[in-house]
Amino acid sequence: IQAGQLWTLNLKLKPIHGYKNPGSFDYSKWLFRQGYDATATVKSAMSHQQSNQSLFNWVDQKRTDISQLIDESFQSPRVKGLIQALSIGDKSRISYQDSQLFQQTGTSHLIAISGLHIGLIAFIGLLFGRLSFYVFTFEKINRFNYEALFAIGFSLFYALLAGLSIPTVRALVMVMVFSISYASKMNITRWQAWSFAMLMVLLSDPFSVLDAGFWFSFTAVAVLMFAFTGRPLLSSKIMAFVKAQFVILIGLLPLMAIVFNQINFLTPIANLIVLPLASLLIIPLMFTCFLVLFFSRKMAEFLFQFLEQVSIYFFNILDYLQPFHFLSLPIQNVNSLTLLNLLMGMSILMLPRLFRWKILALILFVPLLLNKPNKLLHSDFKINILDVGQGLSIIIQTKDHGLIYDTGSKFESGFSMAQSVVLPYLQSQGINSIDYLILSHDDNDHSGGEFEIIERFNQIKVFGVKENYSKSQSPKF
């Protein structure tokens, strides 16, 4: 199936549904958010000779051409997936292992084209607008109009290239609001511009409130404005960047607890190292490669090789940081008291006039450190039956041990219930150790995810029906 083709399909429609498990991805909500009314099985299909020649299909065809160019220009599958995600917003080529790598290091935002990327491209457009003003000066157009026009134009181009995904459109609206207020010299504050941008996003897409990215992006901008507006400027740009990373971490503590059930202290460290590499080198170099390709194939090939090496270093850094994912603090059963502690601690740390009392913030965070996910007594046990569709997966816990009975299925596409349901559930519950895996029989819907479980818990003891498993022993649980 290629962009722009026309097909007639005979479908068997099914209502949207997903799996309901703590900590796992809510697929049904995602389908609703994306505007899907049903899923379907294709019974038969017929392709038509004519194609759809609309503007959006032409854009999609160009995105397909770029995807093929990326496949031809890079050798490393990891680099291909990264450049696909950063250029055309296609994350399907990123492996599950790399997606876990980004998640555990707190750098998932780098591969989702949103505020960071659109803002960077808008800033590059602003610089081009300033340069063009000095080269092509018109008395009726001032410099600010030039800069705003180029910033919006560059952002719109990148948004189209990324397929006008929801986070991209949201970031584009924000850039347009801030650019117009900047060019018109309207007597409005940054907070008024921020509020107007949020209003425009909600008017254009009311269901944005269902996206975690909506809350994180607007909260991050608000936190940065609060931390830097009206404060003495730092003499060093590097120190300002370092401060910004820790300010964002502090300001997003309540949201992290609600959305991810954890606080990742590795996030600011990882971003301090890889964010400049991605925003100042990889993304500009990527677009430079595409631009140079129009003039010199050999020069473009050289730049593609250089970009691949830089991207490999980027992954090497994240690979080095991944073992430190234990710096994330799991938070189970987020309640009103937990949120109140986080909000008060965040306020104390960010308000300058309370500098002498910032030690109180550490006291407010103590209950989070003392939170024990396993509160079972020695004589207690807990059984959780997970929703894995057709199949079975059961988690059994005692005070000192954990057991998994069956893993659910795994499909030819690589999608696994162990990866999408079982492991996220264990993470959301703060379960970091499993002693036993029991497989009832060798059907895929019961033992399909065994290798994912074994890879995650390499010291686990496996019992089952396969020849390489011990049949004579039973786990002493």
Side-chain angles (χ1 to χ4, degrees):
I1 296 177
Q2 301 294 329
Q5 292 179 339
L6 289 176
W7 288 76
T8 297
L9 306 175
N10 181 19
L11 304 175
K12 180 182 178 181
L13 294 175
K14 295 176 287 186
I16 61 176
H17 69 280
Y19 304 107
K20 294 294 185 181
N21 299 285
S24 63
F25 178 65
D26 192 339
Y27 182 57
S28 58
K29 187 178 80 170
W30 182 85
L31 287 172
F32 172 78
R33 174 69 185 96
Q34 300 295 323
Y36 292 101
D37 298 309
T39 59
T41 301
V42 178
K43 310 299 290 184
S44 63
M46 181 178 65
S47 175
H48 298 274
Q49 295 296 326
Q50 68 270 27
S51 60
N52 191 338
Q53 300 297 329
S54 68
L55 173 62
F56 290 107
N57 277 285
W58 180 83
V59 172
D60 284 337
Q61 290 172 5
K62 296 305 175 185
R63 295 175 67 225
T64 302
D65 294 339
I66 293 175
S67 177
Q68 294 174 350
L69 174 64
I70 292 172
D71 282 335
E72 298 170 359
S73 303
F74 299 101
Q75 300 297 323
S76 170
R78 301 181 83 184
V79 175
K80 289 181 181 179
L82 176 65
I83 303 302
Q84 291 264 17
L86 292 177
S87 59
I88 59 175
D90 179 11
K91 294 186 288 185
S92 63
R93 303 288 293 274
I94 294 178
S95 66
Y96 173 77
Q97 289 75 17
D98 282 341
S99 65
Q100 290 294 104
L101 173 68
F102 288 115
Q103 180 180 344
Q104 292 175 356
T105 55
T107 53
S108 298
H109 62 96
L110 293 178
I111 57 172
I113 298 178
S114 55
L116 171 67
H117 309 78
I118 297 295
L120 173 64
I121 296 301
F123 179 71
I124 294 176
L126 185 145
L127 296 179
F128 269 91
R130 184 171 299 180
L131 177 63
S132 66
F133 172 77
Y134 293 123
V135 176
F136 307 101
T137 304
F138 294 96
E139 294 182 358
K140 295 183 178 180
I141 304 178
N142 60 38
R143 176 171 63 87
F144 302 106
N145 290 338
Y146 261 104
E147 294 172 352
L149 183 63
F150 273 81
I152 294 175
F154 275 52
S155 302
L156 180 60
F157 171 77
Y158 194 17
L160 287 171
L161 195 63
L164 290 176
S165 63
I166 293 171
T168 305
V169 173
R170 182 174 60 243
L172 178 63
V173 171
M174 293 178 67
V175 166
M176 293 177 66
V177 171
F178 280 100
S179 298
I180 293 173
S181 64
Y182 170 78
S184 61
K185 289 297 178 180
M186 297 171 59
N187 188 23
I188 61 175
T189 65
R190 293 179 180 178
W191 285 106
Q192 288 174 327
W194 176 86
S195 302
F196 186 66
M198 178 181 287
L199 176 63
M200 293 303 297
V201 167
L202 292 175
L203 288 176
S204 60
D205 186 9
F207 289 122
S208 290
V209 294
L210 297 177
D211 290 332
F214 169 84
W215 299 100
F216 276 97
S217 58
F218 277 100
T219 302
V221 173
V223 165
L224 289 174
M225 290 194 302
F226 178 79
F228 288 96
T229 301
R231 311 285 176 86
L233 295 177
L234 296 176
S235 57
S236 172
K237 298 293 184 181
I238 297 177
M239 290 305 300
F241 176 72
V242 172
K243 178 183 177 182
Q245 298 307 312
F246 286 95
V247 163
I248 290 176
L249 173 66
I250 295 170
L252 296 181
L253 286 178
L255 276 177
M256 289 183 182
I258 295 173
V259 177
F260 302 123
N261 291 111
Q262 67 175 6
I263 297 173
N264 194 348
F265 294 103
L266 180 60
T267 298
I269 301 173
N271 280 281
L272 280 173
I273 301 173
V274 301
L275 186 57
L277 185 62
S279 59
L280 300 180
L281 195 56
I282 293 179
I283 295 177
L285 184 59
M286 176 182 69
F287 282 102
T288 302
C289 291
F290 295 149
L291 181 63
V292 171
L293 189 63
F294 287 101
F295 304 100
S296 173
R297 180 76 184 185
K298 291 184 177 181
M299 179 61 70
E301 290 176 354
F302 171 77
L303 291 176
F304 277 125
Q305 293 177 2
F306 180 59
L307 175 59
E308 184 164 19
Q309 290 301 316
V310 173
S311 300
I312 290 174
Y313 288 134
F314 172 83
F315 277 111
N316 289 340
I317 294 172
L318 291 181
D319 288 336
Y320 177 79
L321 293 174
Q322 188 177 24
F324 296 93
H325 67 269
F326 62 85
L327 292 174
S328 62
L329 174 66
I331 302 176
Q332 283 76 41
N333 302 320
V334 179
N335 51 39
S336 301
L337 181 60
T338 301
L339 290 177
L340 181 62
N341 284 353
L342 285 172
L343 288 170
M344 291 178 62
M346 177 191 72
S347 302
I348 292 173
L349 289 174
M350 295 186 64
L351 289 173
R353 294 184 180 181
L354 294 178
F355 179 79
R356 296 179 181 179
W357 303 97
K358 291 191 176 183
I359 190 66
L360 290 176
L362 302 179
I363 299 175
L364 292 171
F365 294 149
V366 167
L368 301 178
L369 301 174
L370 299 178
N371 183 26
K372 296 181 179 180
N374 189 348
K375 299 179 181 180
L376 297 174
L377 301 177
H378 283 286
S379 59
D380 294 342
F381 67 92
K382 181 170 68 172
I383 297 179
N384 287 279
I385 302 176
L386 302 182
D387 179 11
V388 293
Q390 179 178 339
L392 184 68
S393 185
I394 300 175
I395 310 296
I396 306 177
Q397 285 179 271
T398 66
K399 183 173 180 59
D400 300 316
H401 297 284
L403 179 148
I404 298 177
Y405 183 89
D406 283 350
T407 65
S409 56
K410 183 174 183 178
F411 303 95
E412 293 182 1
S413 63
F415 180 80
S416 167
M417 288 299 169
Q419 293 176 349
S420 60
V421 173
V422 180
L423 293 178
Y425 169 80
L426 296 175
Q427 180 180 349
S428 69
Q429 301 301 306
I431 303 174
N432 299 314
S433 176
I434 292 292
D435 302 283
Y436 306 105
L437 170 63
I438 298 179
L439 301 174
S440 59
H441 57 289
D442 198 18
D443 287 349
N444 176 63
D445 55 353
H446 288 258
S447 60
E450 59 171 303
F451 294 111
E452 284 83 355
I453 301 298
I454 295 172
E455 183 179 9
R456 171 62 180 84
F457 305 103
N458 52 19
Q459 300 298 324
I460 195 172
K461 296 180 180 179
V462 183
F463 301 86
V465 296
K466 295 187 177 181
E467 294 182 358
N468 59 327
Y469 297 151
S470 172
K471 301 179 183 179
S472 61
Q473 299 182 21
S474 61
K476 297 178 180 180
F477 197 55

